[in-house]
Amino acid sequence: MDNGEPRPPRSMTASSSYGQLTNQGASTNIAWHHASVDREARASQRGHRSAILWFTGLSGAGKSTLANAVNQALFERGLSTYVLDGDNIRHGLCKDLGFSDADREENIRRIGEVSKLFLDAGTIVLTAFVSPFRADRDKARALVADGDFIEIFC
């Protein structure tokens, strides 16, 4: 029963299906939940592995056009694909960000994390972002295993 007084913090323990409790940034006492279906099982079911195809280049260079053309060709071959387009992402997930260097860095950090989730889901994710800073692209690449991140300059 809630009497309006603050409750003492509960101690948390992770179940066997969860990883070790950790602190990540501002999030405390969190544990990675291991999915019942992993990336390898999805690849086996779909008949193809997942990957990140990272299209980058200057504004107007054709990143979105090329990413969508590749997406269409892969889809027609029966592969599971999805395009993450810079402008589309800024309508939702990154609508709180502008175009300062710090905001661009955060934009790419978020896209790297989302791309990693798509990779785990067994999808070939095609990203189309200006991503002007090599260091930011390198951070996104470092989130995944060698060979999972393919950078394409337009």
Side-chain angles (χ1 to χ4, degrees):
M1 179 185 241
D2 186 6
N3 61 7
E5 293 186 28
R7 296 180 184 184
R10 284 187 354 203
S11 77
M12 293 180 62
T13 56
S15 73
S16 61
S17 66
Y18 286 82
Q20 186 71 17
L21 288 175
T22 63
N23 298 330
Q24 298 291 322
S27 299
T28 59
N29 289 324
I30 59 172
W32 187 263
H33 179 77
H34 299 283
S36 58
V37 178
D38 64 14
R39 181 179 172 198
E40 290 74 26
R42 289 182 180 95
S44 177
Q45 181 189 55
R46 293 185 176 144
H48 69 84
R49 65 183 291 268
S50 55
I52 298 169
L53 304 181
W54 194 280
F55 294 83
T56 189
L58 297 174
S59 183
K63 298 173 297 297
S64 296
T65 301
L66 185 56
N68 277 287
V70 172
N71 182 57
Q72 183 68 37
L74 295 173
F75 179 80
E76 288 172 0
R77 288 168 177 75
L79 282 69
S80 177
T81 61
Y82 195 82
V83 173
L84 294 174
D85 179 81
D87 286 347
N88 293 353
I89 292 294
R90 284 184 176 272
H91 279 91
L93 178 64
C94 295
K95 69 181 175 183
D96 61 323
L97 300 175
F99 293 93
S100 69
D101 288 357
D103 283 355
R104 287 178 183 275
E105 180 180 352
E106 176 59 15
N107 184 52
I108 298 307
R109 186 197 69 77
R110 291 180 191 181
I111 299 317
E113 292 289 350
V114 170
S115 297
K116 181 180 171 185
L117 293 172
F118 272 91
L119 188 75
D120 188 52
T123 301
I124 299 168
V125 59
L126 303 93
T127 72
F129 291 86
V130 173
S131 53
F133 306 118
R134 176 179 300 279
D136 296 340
R137 296 190 309 272
D138 288 346
K139 287 177 190 174
R141 180 184 289 106
L143 292 172
V144 299
D146 286 343
D148 286 340
F149 186 102
I150 301 163
E151 193 169 340
I152 302 151
F153 288 93
C154 299

